Amino acid sequence: MRNGRVCGLPANRSRSEPRTRGISAAATGYRRCVPAADPPQRAVEVRRSARRRRTVSAYREGERTVVLIPARMSEAEERRWVGVMLDKLAAQESKRTLGDAELIARAERLSEQYFGGRARPLSVRWVTNQNTRWGSCTPAEGSIRLSHRIQGMPEYVVDYVLLHELAHLLVPGHGPRFWELLEAYPKTERARGFLEGVAAAGPMPRVPAAREE
């Protein structure tokens, strides 16, 4: 077993390409990349293997992160999968799950920070019966429910899902006004990329399309 945390995902193709930084490109072999932009600062090393056909895996090795990918992958696929695996490792290393009381406090803080406090949920809780969506809300009741599937995901992803449902307390559909609200959150595209990457790797909820009516 290698040192540090290990995770792996099937490398299914997807058009979603989460933003990554500091990733250099090479056709074969492996190379060192500059440290990732988000803390902790770790160098990222990508290794290509002709024997690896479909899977992508990553693990911590001291102060660096090693990502193993198939040799046939394009540079765009490499960038996408490096981002997905870095976020996947971060999620695995995040042990703590927010309780329901902490969730509503977090939702209120996010509403104040990004929506001027206009979205006011009366309840926010985890549920285990939501397998076709990441979260849902009932505006008439002021209630928000988050799928247990996002427990352990990076905090910025949980915050995005919370903000998504908070925005629905103000705007019911996924029209332009809805997405204008979410533009206030600087990690919207990154979080959507993470969720799309997770969904592409298995039977997971669909991420609503931006600007969708």
Side-chain angles (χ1 to χ4, degrees):
M1 178 169 176
R2 300 181 179 92
N3 296 329
R5 184 76 61 174
V6 181
C7 66
L9 288 174
N12 296 332
R13 289 174 179 263
S14 169
R15 294 188 179 184
S16 168
E17 296 186 6
R19 297 177 183 176
T20 57
R21 300 176 183 175
I23 307 299
S24 61
T28 59
Y30 71 89
R31 66 263 181 218
R32 297 180 186 276
C33 300
V34 300
D38 293 328
Q41 294 288 319
R42 294 177 185 267
V44 177
E45 181 179 305
V46 178
R47 297 177 184 174
R48 290 176 175 261
S49 171
R51 292 181 295 179
R52 185 175 290 265
R53 300 296 182 184
R54 295 177 57 82
T55 61
V56 177
S57 62
Y59 61 91
R60 304 295 193 196
E61 188 176 80
E63 294 303 311
R64 65 180 172 177
T65 300
V66 178
V67 181
L68 306 174
I69 65 173
R72 62 178 176 78
M73 268 196 178
S74 68
E75 293 180 13
E77 289 175 316
E78 175 189 319
R79 288 194 299 272
R80 178 174 69 83
W81 278 105
V82 166
V84 168
M85 299 312 288
L86 289 178
D87 282 338
K88 185 74 173 176
L89 280 173
Q92 289 181 351
E93 292 166 350
S94 178
K95 305 282 187 184
R96 186 169 176 270
T97 299
L98 295 172
D100 289 351
E102 294 171 303
L103 272 181
I104 192 165
R106 191 181 194 118
E108 290 172 348
R109 175 181 60 78
L110 289 169
S111 175
E112 186 65 36
Q113 182 175 359
Y114 295 105
F115 301 154
R118 290 181 294 133
R120 299 179 180 178
L122 298 179
S123 69
V124 184
R125 60 190 176 91
W126 298 106
V127 294
T128 58
N129 61 351
Q130 269 188 176
N131 296 320
T132 60
R133 59 182 68 185
W134 303 110
S136 64
C137 78
T138 305
E141 298 175 358
S143 62
I144 290 175
R145 297 162 297 281
L146 301 185
S147 171
H148 71 289
R149 290 173 180 258
I150 69 171
Q151 289 179 339
M153 288 187 182
E155 288 186 357
Y156 74 88
V157 177
V158 177
D159 283 353
Y160 166 75
V161 177
L162 271 173
L163 282 165
H164 187 108
E165 302 310 325
L166 285 167
H168 278 311
L169 295 179
L170 302 174
V171 179
H174 288 120
R177 286 185 58 236
F178 175 85
W179 294 109
E180 285 170 8
L181 285 174
L182 284 182
E183 285 174 359
Y185 182 54
K187 295 183 179 179
T188 286
E189 290 305 316
R190 182 182 174 191
R192 284 173 53 80
F194 178 89
L195 292 173
E196 288 170 354
V198 172
M204 302 294 284
R206 183 180 69 90
V207 182
R211 305 298 180 185
E212 176 182 78
E213 291 291 351

